[in-house]
Amino acid sequence: RRFANWKRRMVARRGRIKSEQDGQTSLTASAVARNLFSNPTNRDKDENKYVVNIELGLSENEGRNEWFDIQDDIFGFTQSSIVVLFVLYPLVVRFLFVGLECTELDALRLRRDLDLLCDSQEHMPWAVWCMLGLTIYGLGTPALLLYLLWRVRHQLLQMKVRKQYGFLYNGFELQYYYFESVYLGRKFAMLACAMLPSLNMRILSTAVLSNFFLILHIRLLPFDNRSFLCLDRLETMSATALAVTATCRLLFNV
């Protein structure tokens, strides 16, 4: 929406510039073109910026400021999109798993509608769509975030990168910049365990995963060392509580 408003303002400004007959503009499009083609270094370095100025009839300073505004809007949109994607991820994945949740009674029946058999023809289209959504969104989101961070892994301290992707790796050690994707994968795995039809299978898989991620965290300690390892200690206590709870529930069933 902000880009569309900017485009409308630029079109209106172009019309006003064209309607002026006194030639009082500081740097016209023709002057920009002469400057561009007379200096080959500028042609290679700032070609995109000059093209924007020529097409819109802007002065050099105005074009540069508007170009910076567009870049700031893109950075803000990217950051907001990452935050929204991160917050909505467990909720969306949970809804997608609803179509695959079956419970074992006289036969495998859908937990939300016990009249519907999980292997029936009526259920299969919904199951296919749920699996497709889980593959694209559930597994694709951590993979996408991992790829975005991997591309800029050597520029993590630059302000431009921190403005765009700092939400994903701020708080981690630099060598573990990707660990937010690991935690998203843990959420996906835990939600997948909750949809297993048998109670014993759910408890066993939850206990195995919780102990695995607890050992992984203790081995790596991916968070930075601020406030005397405060983040690592909190994560250790949280993972330990989950692992002990799942293990005790498993032993109680046995």
Side-chain angles (χ1 to χ4, degrees):
R1 186 169 61 251
R2 296 179 64 181
F3 181 78
N5 293 335
W6 173 84
K7 186 176 180 181
R8 284 195 294 269
R9 292 198 306 270
M10 292 302 100
V11 172
R13 184 179 299 179
R14 183 182 179 182
R16 291 196 301 270
I17 292 176
K18 284 186 175 181
S19 63
E20 294 178 354
Q21 300 297 328
D22 53 359
Q24 296 298 323
T25 55
S26 60
L27 185 60
T28 62
S30 59
V32 173
R34 289 194 300 271
N35 185 21
L36 171 62
F37 292 105
S38 62
N39 193 341
T41 59
N42 287 340
R43 187 186 315 164
D44 297 334
K45 180 175 62 175
D46 295 328
E47 182 177 355
N48 293 332
K49 182 185 69 176
Y50 283 124
V51 169
V52 172
N53 295 343
I54 292 172
E55 288 182 352
L56 298 178
L58 301 175
S59 68
E60 183 178 6
N61 291 331
E62 289 175 342
R64 183 183 295 109
N65 293 335
E66 293 295 343
W67 181 251
F68 288 157
D69 290 340
I70 292 177
Q71 287 183 329
D72 291 338
D73 292 342
I74 293 175
F75 293 157
F77 175 76
T78 303
Q79 187 179 26
S80 301
S81 300
I82 291 175
V83 173
V84 171
L85 190 67
F86 178 81
V87 172
L88 294 181
Y89 179 80
L91 182 63
V92 174
V93 172
R94 183 70 183 89
F95 283 151
L96 290 173
F97 271 124
V98 167
L100 300 176
E101 282 185 316
C102 298
T103 183
E104 192 173 3
L105 300 173
D106 58 331
L108 283 178
R109 296 182 177 275
L110 191 65
R111 189 174 299 177
R112 296 301 180 94
D113 186 4
L114 296 178
D115 294 331
L116 187 62
L117 295 175
C118 286
D119 55 354
S120 63
Q121 294 295 328
E122 184 179 358
H123 177 253
M124 288 305 297
W126 296 101
V128 171
W129 283 109
C130 289
M131 287 187 290
L132 183 62
L134 289 171
T135 302
I136 296 176
Y137 186 83
L139 298 178
T141 298
L144 175 62
L145 297 181
L146 178 61
Y147 171 72
L148 292 176
L149 291 178
W150 179 82
R151 286 195 314 166
V152 296
R153 64 190 183 278
H154 301 303
Q155 308 168 11
L156 297 178
L157 297 180
Q158 295 183 7
M159 185 57 65
K160 176 181 177 181
V161 176
R162 292 179 68 88
K163 287 175 64 176
Q164 279 189 297
Y165 307 116
F167 177 80
L168 295 175
Y169 63 88
N170 186 28
F172 292 103
E173 300 282 357
L174 285 181
Q175 63 267 31
Y176 301 123
Y177 64 90
Y178 56 86
F179 235 76
E180 197 62 62
S181 298
V182 175
Y183 287 146
L184 286 180
R186 181 179 64 178
K187 291 180 182 180
F188 182 87
M190 289 296 182
L191 291 173
C193 292
M195 60 152 286
L196 296 176
S198 174
L199 177 62
N200 292 330
M201 294 173 60
R202 292 197 295 269
I203 297 174
L204 177 61
S205 58
T206 302
V208 171
L209 281 175
S210 59
N211 282 279
F212 169 77
F213 282 106
L214 173 61
I215 296 172
L216 181 66
H217 174 75
I218 294 176
R219 179 68 180 269
L220 299 180
L221 293 177
F223 291 101
D224 57 24
N225 300 331
R226 67 181 70 179
S227 301
F228 303 100
L229 300 175
C230 176
L231 298 178
D232 282 319
R233 291 179 178 179
L234 289 175
E235 180 64 25
T236 300
M237 290 188 289
S238 175
T240 301
L242 178 60
V244 170
T245 302
T247 304
C248 291
R249 186 67 175 88
L250 179 63
L251 295 177
F252 177 79
N253 277 4
V254 174

